[in-house]
Amino acid sequence: MLVLGGTAEARRLAAVLHRDGAFAVTSSLAGRVAVPRLPCGEVRIGGFGGAEGLAGWLREHGTDVVVDATHPFAARMTANAVAATSAAGVPLVVLRRPGWTEGPGDRWHRVPDARGAAALAPRLGSRVFLATGAGDLAALAGIDAWCLLRAVDPPPPPLPPRHHLVLARGPFTADAERALLREHRIEVLVARDSGGELTAAKLVAARELGLPVVLIARPPAPDAPAVASVEEAVAWVTARVSAARERSTPRPPRL
């Protein structure tokens, strides 16, 4: 089976399936980070060459199941996975952790995309923490505010003209995020609705400091079966493999 990864859920899934021993698991990473966290089992790094290239890879490697456990904002990879598995006749399930839910004390402003965030954030404050990862920085490059950027590796241009870059790898604690916001006198936080506990500390810090948050909505859900947890993904894969084995096992003739 192939796990399209790069997330904590993908690493957990690969570890569970690797320990099971019944699955030959290959995890695929996009290669956007110079030194990625590697999952258990076989790993390939780099693109497939679009949906057609991925479909060819699935056929060449005799893949039985694909789990798309990429980031909730990796819309292009997910679209390629849907098209490729359809072309190759391989079952696909999408593993997506739920998005965040606003709670008491939160001051959230939801926007449909990064350009909406670039338009709204300067109206809420003049010093903005763009905690979106490198993927949305090009769309945010025209923002009219001083910006704090954080990334694992230096992001490519274009970038906001007035910015300070911090190179760091999470997860981060709420205490560390609170200190960062105070150190740089941040007035607005911009984040993507990625969901999950590992990246929620910045939202906790913003709530405690009374800061507004501009939250970028997720891309539309793909037209494919979906699960919300590693446990559900394991159950889905196991059921699919069991059904395939039953269909392929010869039945004794009736007497």
Side-chain angles (χ1 to χ4, degrees), residues 163-240:
H163 74 267
H164 174 72
L165 174 63
V166 174
L167 296 179
R169 186 196 294 269
F172 305 99
T173 65
D175 287 342
E177 296 291 57
R178 193 184 310 109
L180 183 73
L181 295 174
R182 283 174 170 159
E183 176 187 355
H184 295 280
R185 307 191 310 281
I186 297 302
E187 299 173 356
V188 186
L189 169 67
V190 175
R192 301 188 292 185
D193 188 10
S194 301
E197 296 180 0
L198 291 180
T199 55
K202 56 182 174 284
L203 300 175
V204 175
R207 180 195 312 131
E208 292 175 349
L209 296 176
L211 301 182
V213 175
V214 179
L215 204 61
I216 301 172
R218 294 182 174 193
D223 184 15
V227 293
S229 69
V230 170
E231 293 73 20
E232 291 176 24
V234 171
W236 192 95
V237 168
T238 302
R240 280 282 177 164

Side-chain angles (χ1 to χ4, degrees), residues 1-2 17 20-25 62-67 90-91 93 233-249:
M1 63 175 296
L2 176 67
L17 296 175
D20 183 281
F23 303 93
V25 182
T63 306
D64 297 306
V65 181
V66 175
V67 180
V90 176
V93 65
V234 171
W236 192 95
V237 168
T238 302
R240 280 282 177 164
V241 171
S242 298
R245 285 174 179 165
E246 288 182 5
R247 289 193 297 269
S248 62
T249 300

Side-chain angles (χ1 to χ4, degrees), residues 53-107:
L54 176 55
W57 192 96
L58 297 177
R59 297 188 188 100
E60 179 182 349
H61 291 80
T63 306
D64 297 306
V65 181
V66 175
V67 180
D68 173 14
T70 55
H71 193 275
F73 282 77
R76 180 177 298 179
M77 186 66 247
T78 295
N80 286 344
V82 172
T85 52
S86 177
V90 176
L92 167 71
V93 65
V94 178
L95 170 55
R96 287 289 183 273
R97 56 183 177 259
W100 287 310
T101 301
E102 188 172 2
D106 287 322
R107 298 171 57 198

